[in-house]
Amino acid sequence: MTLKQNNIMNIYPSCSKISVAEHENVTSQSGCLMAKPTAHIGFDIFATSYFDSVTIRKLCSLATCLLVVFFIFCLTNLVPRVFSCTNILVSKGASVDGSVSITYTADSAGFFPQLSIFPAKDHKPDTVIIVPENEYHPEVKIKQIPRTHQVLGVIWEPNTSHGDHFPRQGCINEFQLAIAETTFGGYEDLVNPKAAINYPMLITFALQRAKTAREAIDVMVNLIDEYGYCDVGESISIADKNEAWVFEIVGTGPRELSKGNNTVWVAKRVPDGEISVHANQARIGEIPEKNDPNNCFYSGNIRKFAIEQKLYDPNSGKPFRFDEAYGNIDTKSKRVCESRVWSIFNRAAPSQKFSPDYHRGVENAAPYSWSIKPDKKLSIADIMALMRDNYEGTDFDMTKGIDAGNYGTPRRWRPLYWKVKGDENEYSWERPISTQQTGFSIVTQSRSNLPDPVGGVLWYGVDDSFLTCYFPLYCGISGLPKSFTVGSIREFSWDSTWWVTNLLSNYANLKYSVIAPDIIAVQKELELKFFTLQNPVEKTAAEIFKTNPELSKQYLTDYSISQAELVAARWKQLATDIFTKHNDGYVRTKEGKYPNEASAYPEEWLKRVLKEKPNVFKLPVEKKPNINREYFESSARKIFESGFDLLPKSKIDEIKINQNEKSKFINKTILETRINQFEIFFADRKLIESFENKTYDKDKTKAEIEKSIATINTQKVPIFVQFAVLWFNAGKYDDKELEVCKRILETF
């Protein structure tokens, strides 16, 4: 969705350069109410300012003169491809509890969503929605219906310099109807700048006017037939309590509006018991010869227009496919779009062993099926897991390889496509379902066995879907969690959970394999809590609904807000905990200690470093003495005993250590100390050499050896102290032995 706000939506002046009158309010011939977002989100989601018609026309005229230049720039620089969102559709028979679900990742750099409620409202007969005139069309008045439904969705800061004047989009309405989308783009010359409606308007109007998926399709078809469609190709997911559909639409190019010819569209149902996916590439393929209202139906011009535009050759002997005719599919789109389709199918039905050939661009590879039957019915937790994916465990695993960095981050910074000087090839990063530029993501639930306010749930999360925490918002709630309705992309704020989540995700990218697990642990804890509470909460709400529907809605409102604010509070605390724990490359222990070394680099990454710089980090080889363990320990024992003996008698008496304690201490130290640790402390090479078998002839007298050791001991008394420190810190002694250690250390 939202990548279009920054790119595609800004390309086409007729749809993106409009000021849309607030569709909740009345417009008369003498003036109109212009939408203006305010800081307050809730029932009164828009403040209004009055402008007379002449002023509006002057402003529009001036703006469009400037925007024509912008339109040409965008058309030549920004149109080719946009890769943003991912949708999964789960039919009733494919879910564990009979839910119909859709998912949505709204992916766009700089997109800052704010939760919002578009309340149900009665409208006077003359209510219209004004699309002001511009260079391409006169003022358009869209008729409002007598009553619009309540919709739960998002608003965002309008980028008016890019013509974004409809900064809102619905997600689910009070009747459990849910809608989402992904942009497939298609051919740029099929965009009609003379049309009035773009896709956020189309989705939101459908949610405000329809109760079922089929009604929503009818609403959208009627709107585009009358007012035209000014946007690029879209795949729109629609779910109600019983069915899931996909509605795909493209324009028919710059032309005067003519009912039945303004767009090309097709609607296809997901078979019950199956799931489907679309990810920025048209997915509806072969269509039936005749409309089938129960499974697949389409606009009357779907084949004729394709033939006219030379997008389909009826003499080719090939069946007509919507995706191939209008999708503008190429190797790039297959790589970054169909890879996501493959991944979801592959994880939902591993038994079917889907080939990667199509998304890798292998010639003549068959496209993926429209829908599949999963190996097992899916729970909401399963669907969320499908939304959290970086191709782990496949040949395309983004947490592996040099491109994942030293700590396996699955994120790849833009641009997706890149070249290297001197290499004529073009390359592409993988594009996973989970991505850093996600503004928000959702998983919806629509259930026919529960009252609408109880059965419809919007599981909502912000930022990267892999590290976000989804929480439930019921479709009939009357209030929203404040921390998800405030803030701005222009300035970080601890009051905004979007910013806190984004901050944590970015911090995790520094040492992903080390930090991300700490975030995921809290994510799992909270989501498990929500799943555990869901059944008893809904059972209570449904019981209350029987006698007092409004009280039931209030109960679910309070519950939704409390759980959302719990996430907000825990994420703030999590940020504090993680910044404290993961500091300067170290991982701080629960006791507040810093280990001697920072977390080690992965061995595979170190091997790559050495391969690239084989001699830069290499230390000179130094000859190591071949130490006889038995002889070494015997000599070391004498050193320790001599160390004690070097203490003045007054000190021995002071620390009150008897011979048994001394022997026990020495034995423990000798047994638990490795040779290499002795080597570290015996830095004097002569001392080390003195323990080599070659240094002392076996025939030497005991007196000579003891004399030599005594000399060494005299020089190396601090070594004994260092051993005591080493084992004291390592906690290798029992309480009594530790006390002996302390007494020795205090003495020195």
Side-chain angles (χ1 to χ4, degrees), residues 640-669 720 724 733-748:
F640 278 113
E641 289 175 349
S642 299
F644 273 102
D645 294 341
L646 287 172
L647 290 173
K649 187 175 184 304
S650 59
K651 291 292 184 182
I652 295 289
D653 294 338
E654 181 182 327
I655 64 175
K656 299 177 182 178
I657 185 167
N658 59 39
Q659 186 63 35
N660 289 335
E661 287 178 324
K662 181 177 75 172
S663 297
K664 187 177 180 181
F665 177 83
I666 291 171
N667 288 337
K668 187 103 173 182
T669 302
F720 170 72
Y733 299 106
D734 58 30
D735 292 341
K736 187 174 181 181
E737 290 169 328
L738 283 175
E739 188 58 37
V740 173
C741 247
K742 288 179 183 177
R743 280 183 264 155
I744 295 170
L745 293 175
E746 287 168 1
T747 301
F748 277 97

Side-chain angles (χ1 to χ4, degrees), residues 621-629 631-632 675-695:
V621 177
E622 189 173 2
K623 181 184 177 184
K624 295 282 185 179
N626 180 22
I627 299 174
N628 180 286
R629 175 80 188 187
Y631 186 77
F632 181 85
I675 290 179
N676 64 328
Q677 289 173 318
F678 278 99
E679 291 180 29
I680 292 170
F681 289 114
F682 295 138
D684 188 336
R685 185 163 185 79
K686 290 182 180 179
L687 177 63
I688 296 174
E689 290 175 350
S690 72
F691 293 124
E692 289 185 280
N693 290 337
K694 295 178 181 179
T695 303

Side-chain angles (χ1 to χ4, degrees), residues 48-64:
T48 56
S49 302
Y50 289 86
F51 300 95
D52 61 79
S53 310
V54 174
T55 302
I56 292 170
R57 288 190 176 90
K58 286 181 178 178
L59 289 171
C60 290
S61 179
L62 175 61
T64 49

Side-chain angles (χ1 to χ4, degrees), residues 684-714:
D684 188 336
R685 185 163 185 79
K686 290 182 180 179
L687 177 63
I688 296 174
E689 290 175 350
S690 72
F691 293 124
E692 289 185 280
N693 290 337
K694 295 178 181 179
T695 303
Y696 293 109
D697 191 290
K698 293 181 180 179
D699 295 331
K700 281 191 176 182
T701 63
K702 180 180 178 182
E704 289 176 323
I705 295 174
E706 289 178 344
K707 180 181 178 182
S708 189
I709 291 175
T711 304
I712 293 169
N713 286 341
T714 304

Side-chain angles (χ1 to χ4, degrees), residues 601-609:
Y601 288 108
E603 187 173 343
E604 284 303 312
W605 185 80
L606 290 174
K607 288 179 179 178
R608 290 178 180 272
V609 170

Side-chain angles (χ1 to χ4, degrees), residues 225-243:
D225 266 357
E226 187 166 355
Y227 305 106
Y229 176 71
C230 66
D231 234 322
V232 295
E234 284 289 328
S235 300
I236 299 176
S237 299
I238 313 165
D240 61 24
K241 293 173 281 190
N242 296 296
E243 298 180 319

Side-chain angles (χ1 to χ4, degrees), residues 296-534:
C296 182
F297 56 102
Y298 43 84
S299 59
N301 61 347
I302 193 168
R303 289 187 178 88
K304 179 183 177 183
F305 185 75
I307 294 170
E308 290 175 354
Q309 299 297 311
K310 301 189 184 310
L311 300 175
Y312 172 65
D313 180 4
N315 299 316
S316 65
K318 296 180 180 180
F320 175 81
R321 293 179 60 97
F322 178 87
D323 55 356
E324 292 182 355
Y326 296 106
N328 193 13
I329 296 170
D330 56 23
T331 55
K332 286 185 176 180
S333 68
K334 289 178 184 178
R335 175 64 60 89
V336 300
C337 302
E338 291 301 295
S339 293
R340 286 174 273 159
V341 175
W342 169 82
S343 179
I344 292 169
F345 281 179
N346 195 47
R347 287 179 294 130
S351 65
Q352 297 188 41
K353 299 183 179 357
F354 295 96
S355 169
D357 287 355
Y358 182 68
H359 72 82
R360 303 323 279 182
V362 175
E363 191 174 358
N364 298 321
Y368 300 115
S369 303
W370 158 246
S371 60
I372 65 161
K373 183 177 180 179
D375 283 358
K376 67 180 182 68
K377 292 189 176 185
L378 304 176
S379 66
I380 292 299
D382 293 330
I383 299 170
M384 289 177 183
L386 291 174
M387 292 288 284
R388 290 168 169 148
D389 180 54
N390 302 298
Y391 305 115
E392 290 91 345
T394 73
D395 292 341
F396 321 110
D397 192 335
M398 297 180 69
T399 67
K400 307 296 182 184
I402 193 169
D403 49 312
N406 46 7
Y407 288 101
T409 179
R411 302 294 156 250
R412 302 294 180 271
W413 316 130
R414 296 309 184 250
L416 274 174
Y417 307 120
W418 46 280
K419 288 186 174 183
V420 176
K421 287 183 179 179
D423 185 342
E424 62 181 13
N425 295 304
E426 187 174 15
Y427 299 90
S428 172
W429 297 123
E430 301 297 342
R431 199 305 196 176
I433 296 160
S434 298
T435 184
Q436 65 273 10
Q437 69 265 21
T438 299
F440 74 95
S441 57
I442 61 171
V443 178
T444 71
Q445 271 185 285
S446 301
R447 292 166 288 177
S448 60
N449 63 327
L450 290 168
D452 287 333
V454 185
V457 187
L458 183 77
W459 293 89
Y460 185 81
V462 292
D463 203 61
D464 183 346
S465 65
F466 204 87
L467 298 179
T468 195
C469 181
Y470 290 109
F471 58 87
L473 295 169
Y474 285 82
C475 68
I477 59 176
S478 57
L480 295 170
K482 183 179 179 182
S483 59
F484 290 88
T485 67
V486 297
S488 166
I489 194 63
R490 297 185 182 93
E491 183 178 4
F492 174 84
S493 170
W494 284 105
D495 295 329
S496 163
T497 305
W498 187 95
W499 266 121
V500 176
T501 308
N502 180 268
L503 177 64
L504 267 175
S505 297
N506 276 282
Y507 192 75
N509 283 325
L510 297 174
K511 298 182 75 173
Y512 200 84
S513 61
V514 178
I515 299 174
D518 286 353
I519 300 175
I520 293 170
V522 178
Q523 172 200 88
K524 288 182 176 179
E525 174 198 332
L526 291 179
E527 289 179 355
L528 178 60
K529 173 181 180 289
F530 301 148
F531 294 143
T532 304
L533 287 174
Q534 186 174 12

